[in-house]
Amino acid sequence: MQPFSNNTGLSDHTSTMNDYSLVEECVRGNQRAQKTLFERFAPKMLAVCQRYAKDIDEAEDILQDGFVKVFLKLGAFKQQGSLEGWIRRIMVNTALDQIRKNGRLLGDTDVDSVEFKLDSNDYIVEGLMAEDLMKLVMSMPDGYKTVFNLFAIEGYSHAEIAEMLGVNESTSKSQYSRARAYLRERIEKIHGKQR
Amino acid sequence: MKRYMENSDKIKGLFREQLGSHEVPVRPELWEAVSAKVAAGSVASSGISIVSKLIIGAVSTAAIVTGVYLISQEKEEISKPESKSVVVLQEERLSENKEYADLFDNDKNKTVSVEEKEKNKNQENHTETVVIDTLQPKTTPSYTPLKERKREEKTVVAESQENKENKEKETRVQEEQAKKTGIKQEKQSIEVVLPNVFSPNNDGQHDEFFIDFKDYEIQDFNMVIMDKSNKVVYTSNDPKFNWNGMDLNGNPVQPGTYLYYFTGVVNDKTPISKFSSLQIIR
């Protein structure tokens, strides 16, 4: 599959630009630069969106809304940090807005601590492919999926997550524990079948 | 116990390593939709569809019986003093329809109020902006129909708060575009008719939607048609496209207001981008 093709035969110098020059061109309104920026980051960002969304349609909606924000706010991007990190934060925030709008934020969870296994079986998770893990994340209940994504993959602290989601830090921690327990159980099942 | 969990969090390590930079294929239509939304200055999270914004905004030209528009222009070679402009002729095709005429009257008022607002804004800021996509007597006096100008001067329309907000967004985008295009304008113009109504009912009249670019060479052409909920119903990379009113799944689209948007490069040099509303009548 070739998601993007440039069939015009015109030279496209924007594809070799570094992030900062590309941003400058985009801010000036160069449409080819905007397209290049989209093509450079969209595949990674769609994967981000998918982890938060309930399905692929919602992920695409989030991606679109997120990139519209990216282009409208690009002038405010400071030319020093990581462009990818900046875009990713916008995507995550857009995803959280979407989840909030649909009332799915921590919807199906309570704050009880969770029984999770803490044995030495952690090794079994090695060797799983990204695609499998992606499916696992997407199959998680909304309640702790969001916290898991924010903490484990995006790397926010529980304090930051608590502020982003408007919950207690302890809630964030217990949701993460649930997510971990859920994933561990699923992974054990997968390995059980394979053996 | 807690420390143990964090130290030995292999699940976290695994998922982060595998999914932190994971990529999935992106459908090209998504770029077209994003591009159209950015062009429309739409803040997507506001929940207002672009089509409704278009109708509120100045660029909704269903109202105008005949108008000539200046659109985006940018000169690559700065050495030469002249630059290019693209003039797009907007044509009303079904003005005799009473029901739609009423609709257009509404739009007329709104359109005018936006233009006045922009005039005010320009005065306040003392900027020499060239307003794209609206009538611009400064640069194209000969193209501005008298009727339009009179209306612009005489009509005063009360504006709701929401309208104001939308207009400010629109104005801001247009000012940005104006900055980008600069003041160096005008020499070669191209005239293109942008249809804003069509009726795919096989009666032999306006059954297909197309844009006649005449003899101009359009490279890098990209066009997308969306419905009110921003869903893409048609997309093409061919400037000689013909759309028969079927959506991407081959089903006829509902009558109503749509938005179309295209970008391209004229004669290898002049970038154009233009959007317009499109009424579909069956």
Side-chain angles (χ1 to χ4, degrees):
Chain A
M1 180 176 177
Q2 181 99 42
F4 299 105
S5 62
N6 184 356
N7 54 7
T8 60
L10 294 176
S11 64
D12 186 1
H13 65 286
T14 59
S15 59
T16 55
M17 276 183 179
N18 71 32
D19 285 355
Y20 291 160
S21 326
L22 194 60
V23 167
E24 262 171 43
E25 281 300 303
C26 289
V27 172
R28 282 181 53 210
N30 179 336
Q31 281 172 355
R32 197 167 293 178
Q34 292 182 346
K35 189 176 181 191
T36 302
L37 184 134
F38 181 82
E39 288 171 2
R40 191 172 290 179
F41 295 106
K44 209 174 268 187
M45 294 309 146
L46 185 57
V48 172
C49 297
Q50 273 185 20
R51 283 190 281 109
Y52 290 86
K54 66 175 190 299
D55 54 33
I56 183 78
D57 283 349
E58 191 181 62
E60 289 186 344
D61 282 351
I62 296 168
L63 184 82
Q64 287 186 39
D65 288 356
F67 264 105
V68 171
K69 284 183 199 161
V70 164
F71 285 115
L72 294 180
K73 291 178 178 177
L74 204 52
F77 172 68
K78 305 264 190 308
Q79 299 267 4
Q80 32 188 314
S82 147
L83 178 62
E84 183 182 322
W86 186 78
I87 294 176
R88 184 187 283 249
R89 274 196 296 281
I90 290 181
M91 291 299 155
V92 169
N93 284 327
T94 309
L96 294 182
D97 286 345
Q98 177 75 22
I99 291 169
R100 252 180 233 118
K101 206 167 74 187
N102 295 344
R104 301 203 317 268
L105 198 60
L106 305 183
D108 56 356
T109 56
D110 48 55
V111 197
D112 297 353
S113 67
V114 129
E115 290 296 319
F116 53 88
K117 288 193 230 166
L118 263 185
D119 51 27
S120 54
N121 276 348
D122 271 334
Y123 70 89
I124 60 164
V125 299
E126 283 155 18
L128 280 178
M129 302 296 291
E131 284 75 16
D132 301 324
L133 299 179
M134 195 75 187
K135 278 182 202 150
L136 277 178
V137 171
M138 291 178 76
S139 75
M140 261 196 274
D142 293 323
Y144 38 85
K145 180 161 74 177
T146 309
V147 169
F148 179 81
N149 276 319
L150 290 171
F151 182 78
I153 304 176
E154 261 69 59
Y156 290 100
S157 71
H158 283 303
E160 286 168 319
I161 295 168
E163 202 185 323
M164 290 164 90
L165 303 184
V167 298
N168 291 327
E169 210 176 313
S170 60
T171 308
S172 176
K173 283 180 185 166
S174 72
Q175 294 304 326
Y176 178 64
S177 298
R178 279 168 174 258
R180 250 181 119 246
Y182 173 90
L183 290 172
R184 181 189 303 276
E185 198 187 312
R186 298 295 295 254
I187 290 169
E188 279 173 358
K189 254 186 210 165
I190 293 170
H191 278 262
K193 273 180 200 162
Q194 283 172 358
R195 274 167 201 170
Chain B
M1 177 161 160
K2 189 179 155 211
R3 193 184 299 138
Y4 175 65
M5 187 186 100
E6 285 177 358
N7 286 344
S8 69
D9 198 343
K10 286 200 180 169
I11 289 208
K12 177 179 171 183
L14 172 80
F15 278 81
R16 188 166 199 176
E17 185 188 318
Q18 292 285 322
L19 297 185
S21 302
H22 187 52
E23 297 192 355
V24 293
V26 177
R27 293 187 298 126
E29 295 95 281
L30 292 182
W31 162 244
E32 285 153 18
V34 168
S35 165
K37 285 181 190 176
V38 172
S42 151
V43 177
S45 58
S46 71
I48 303 170
S49 87
I50 320 170
V51 175
S52 19
K53 281 193 176 175
L54 257 184
I55 291 167
I56 296 164
V59 226
S60 168
T61 45
I64 289 154
V65 177
T66 309
V68 181
Y69 294 82
L70 251 182
I71 67 176
S72 150
Q73 42 207 256
E74 190 165 13
K75 188 68 180 155
E76 300 278 341
E77 305 96 321
I78 304 159
S79 54
K80 293 182 191 170
E82 87 275 8
S83 66
K84 295 172 192 296
S85 75
V86 182
V87 176
V88 176
L89 185 67
Q90 194 91 22
E91 190 182 69
E92 176 46 54
R93 286 181 170 179
L94 290 169
S95 53
E96 66 274 17
N97 184 316
K98 178 77 173 75
E99 191 191 336
Y100 280 95
D102 289 346
L103 184 80
F104 296 153
D105 274 347
N106 265 340
D107 283 351
K108 271 174 204 164
N109 293 340
K110 284 169 180 167
T111 306
V112 170
S113 66
V114 174
E115 284 165 359
E116 285 189 347
K117 173 108 187 172
E118 275 162 0
K119 269 163 70 182
N120 294 339
K121 188 139 190 167
N122 287 348
Q123 281 161 8
E124 283 164 22
N125 296 346
H126 302 288
T127 49
E128 285 189 71
T129 51
V130 178
V131 179
I132 310 299
D133 286 334
T134 53
L135 301 168
Q136 186 45 265
K138 227 179 188 174
T139 45
T140 57
S142 57
Y143 291 131
T144 310
L146 251 179
K147 250 201 293 187
E148 293 297 327
R149 280 213 255 172
K150 273 183 186 162
R151 211 156 50 199
E152 191 177 325
E153 282 153 17
K154 282 176 185 168
T155 320
V156 179
V157 181
E159 297 168 358
S160 74
Q161 190 58 39
E162 192 190 22
N163 280 357
K164 271 185 191 168
E165 282 171 17
N166 286 332
K167 277 164 207 153
E168 272 162 16
K169 272 176 206 159
E170 194 123 38
T171 310
R172 196 189 62 221
V173 169
Q174 285 172 344
E175 279 176 357
E176 278 169 16
Q177 286 181 346
K179 267 184 222 156
K180 146 196 126 190
T181 55
I183 315 295
K184 27 162 195 161
Q185 305 294 358
E186 206 81 2
K187 265 291 138 58
Q188 182 200 329
S189 300
I190 78 162
E191 278 192 2
V192 177
V193 175
L194 290 187
N196 55 18
V197 182
F198 98 114
S199 61
N201 54 5
N202 290 322
D203 65 353
Q205 290 196 318
H206 308 305
D207 280 340
E208 290 194 324
F209 170 67
F210 58 91
I211 299 173
D212 183 5
F213 288 105
K214 296 171 188 165
D215 295 332
Y216 302 109
E217 289 262 336
I218 315 286
Q219 293 91 13
D220 238 357
F221 184 77
N222 204 337
M223 94 99 61
V224 56
I225 303 175
M226 288 186 291
D227 69 9
K228 277 182 180 165
S229 55
N230 297 339
K231 199 174 135 245
V232 175
V233 295
Y234 180 76
T235 164
S236 176
N237 291 319
D238 181 4
K240 296 188 176 66
F241 71 94
N242 263 311
W243 186 45
N244 57 6
M246 301 293 178
D247 68 15
L248 296 175
N249 301 322
N251 302 316
V253 299
Q254 292 298 310
T257 310
Y258 290 75
L259 165 85
Y260 68 90
Y261 169 76
F262 65 85
T263 58
V265 178
V266 183
N267 296 341
D268 252 336
K269 280 178 189 158
T270 315
I272 53 167
S273 81
K274 178 70 189 163
F275 57 97
S276 169
S277 62
L278 178 67
Q279 288 284 341
I280 295 183
I281 305 166
R282 292 206 184 255

